[in-house]
Amino acid sequence: MTSNADGTRTMTDAPGLLTDFLSFSLADARPVADRAGGECAHGVRYQWLGAGLLQFEPEAKPVASVVVSAGVHGDETAPIELVSRMVADIACGALPLACRLLVVLGNIGAMRAACRYLDDDLNRLFCGAHARLHGGSEKARAATLEAATARFFAQAAPADAAPRWHIDMHTAIRASVFEQFALLPHTGRAPADAMLEWLARARIAAILLHTAAGTTYTQFTAQTYEAMACTLELGKVRPFGQNDLSHFDAADRAVRSLVANVASGSATPMPRVFTVVDQITKRTDAFELALASDVPNFTVLAKGQEVARDGDYRYIVTRGDERIVFPNPSVKPGLRAGLIVVETTAETLARTPRGS
Ligand SMILES: [Zn+2]
């Protein structure tokens, strides 16, 4: 390894860009000039686009354009390890590639510091939200990821000619009634049948439909580039190297099947579908949440139960089937302290255009 004038380092040996993309990225390495791009197994072309950004193109006409991202929250380690292994398997030919693929390791600074984020939650800074910040580590990273994603989709076939996908993999902070679940950004349309089937093959037990546009990475790709986009929550966070990756097998197999364009696993049962019906917002520092600090996501609330109070404000459960997701009383005032969701499986599946 040699040091460059700008403080970055050039890798001349292992860990390599393709064989260990995670270590390569954590080391803040950059390829030697003539190795930033090239050809790996089966005629697949690769191109390093910057820290944590790697693009692949298959030799044959691609069937889809796919973004696979992990580490948008730096301490959500297991999916980052899976993505790094997938890169190595594409490079050596163990995983055949049938699509254009952009691999993204999101918040590398936070990955190095083993924390969710350094200054601001990167997954709230997309759709241009980064422009409203005055500084901080994540502002520039959000802009970089948006630009790389924009270039990737600008070179893609139109969405109606070749599907566009974005799978953003996370792990949850807390336990969940449904251990692995997916969040779908708000698009104003019913979820695509292809996305529901893919989630079923990934053994995702539940889907949460947002009813308002957020500023997440998947919101950005769905609304700007018509990608079928989902945020996967795949279980609990552990440090690098301490994850039982077998626990993530189904999701890993589904991502690999997507990029190889082969069907794997059964598309039944379909995930249960939940829709956001209310948001609990923390207004002041007097905010109190009347739930145990470790209450699992999707816990059913009792009708008449007081869930939150903040001065004169009360949130009282009025329906019999309300559930709490992402309760967090320690957010800053003005931010979301929890979502209230209800099950809408039957209505949603009836609304979904089959074969889309
Ligand atoms: Zn996350």
Side-chain angles (χ1 to χ4, degrees):
M1 197 176 333
T2 53
S3 290
N4 304 320
D6 62 359
T8 60
R9 290 173 295 178
T10 297
M11 285 288 177
T12 51
D13 53 11
L17 168 65
L18 299 176
T19 53
D20 190 348
F21 187 45
L22 169 56
S23 299
F24 185 90
S25 303
L26 288 177
D28 203 12
R30 56 178 59 188
V32 289
D34 60 345
R35 291 210 201 139
E39 191 174 311
C40 45
H42 302 319
V44 170
R45 309 282 308 169
Y46 71 91
Q47 185 69 42
W48 182 79
L49 303 175
L53 294 166
L54 196 50
Q55 185 169 333
F56 291 95
E57 304 264 350
E59 190 172 33
K61 187 169 183 276
V63 297
S65 288
V66 180
V67 178
V68 175
S69 52
V72 169
H73 291 137
D75 58 354
E76 298 178 359
T77 49
I80 304 171
E81 295 175 55
L82 293 177
V83 165
S84 186
R85 288 184 184 196
M86 184 176 75
V87 165
D89 286 349
I90 291 170
C92 75
L95 176 62
L97 184 74
C99 66
R100 301 174 67 239
L101 175 65
L102 177 64
V103 174
V104 177
L105 300 183
N107 196 338
I108 296 173
M111 283 162 55
R112 251 178 238 128
C115 60
R116 185 173 171 85
Y117 55 82
L118 296 175
D119 298 305
D120 293 282
D121 187 336
L122 179 60
N123 211 22
R124 304 287 180 272
L125 297 186
F126 289 88
C127 308
H130 56 84
R132 295 193 284 274
L133 285 181
H134 296 296
S137 310
E138 280 79 13
K139 177 181 168 74
R141 187 61 178 162
T144 298
L145 297 188
E146 282 194 354
T149 307
R151 276 194 301 274
F152 178 72
F153 283 122
Q155 296 157 6
D160 53 1
R164 300 168 172 201
W165 292 79
H166 178 198
I167 311 296
D168 186 29
M169 292 194 281
H170 290 244
T171 52
I173 299 167
R174 61 179 56 243
S176 176
V177 171
F178 306 105
E179 195 186 358
Q180 303 199 334
F181 62 98
L183 311 171
L184 267 49
H186 177 65
T187 61
R189 300 183 299 273
D193 193 33
M195 172 57 86
L196 294 179
E197 276 193 14
W198 183 83
L199 291 167
R201 291 181 197 281
R203 300 262 74 88
I204 298 298
I207 300 173
L208 181 55
L209 302 180
H210 280 293
T211 43
T215 52
T216 60
Y217 196 7
T218 51
Q219 182 72 48
F220 174 66
T221 53
Q223 79 181 27
T224 315
Y225 302 108
E226 298 177 64
M228 289 182 275
C230 66
T231 306
L232 298 184
E233 297 285 355
L234 296 172
K236 297 271 275 186
V237 176
R238 300 196 197 291
F240 282 123
Q242 294 179 29
N243 292 296
D244 176 3
L245 293 183
S246 67
H247 182 78
F248 303 93
D249 263 356
D252 186 41
R253 271 202 304 275
V255 171
R256 286 165 175 258
S257 301
L258 182 65
V259 305
N261 193 37
V262 295
S264 92
S266 162
T268 53
M270 275 298 184
R272 290 170 68 176
V273 182
F274 296 83
T275 299
V276 176
V277 293
D278 220 328
Q279 168 169 319
I280 298 176
T281 303
K282 178 170 176 174
R283 297 163 192 221
T284 72
D285 285 321
F287 181 86
E288 286 176 68
L289 199 62
L291 297 169
S293 60
D294 59 350
V295 63
N297 280 325
F298 293 98
T299 294
V300 179
L301 303 169
K303 192 172 175 179
Q305 181 180 354
E306 180 183 300
V307 175
R309 63 164 64 196
D310 195 351
D312 293 338
Y313 166 81
R314 301 276 183 280
Y315 186 86
I316 294 169
V317 178
T318 55
R319 286 158 287 226
D321 58 347
E322 295 182 24
R323 296 168 184 253
I324 184 85
V325 182
F326 301 132
N328 185 357
S330 58
V331 295
K332 296 175 190 165
L335 294 184
R336 179 188 88 192
L339 290 175
I340 303 291
V341 308
V342 299
E343 183 161 10
T344 55
T345 305
E347 303 93 289
T348 303
L349 296 183
R351 217 158 58 86
T352 297
R354 310 310 286 183
S356 68

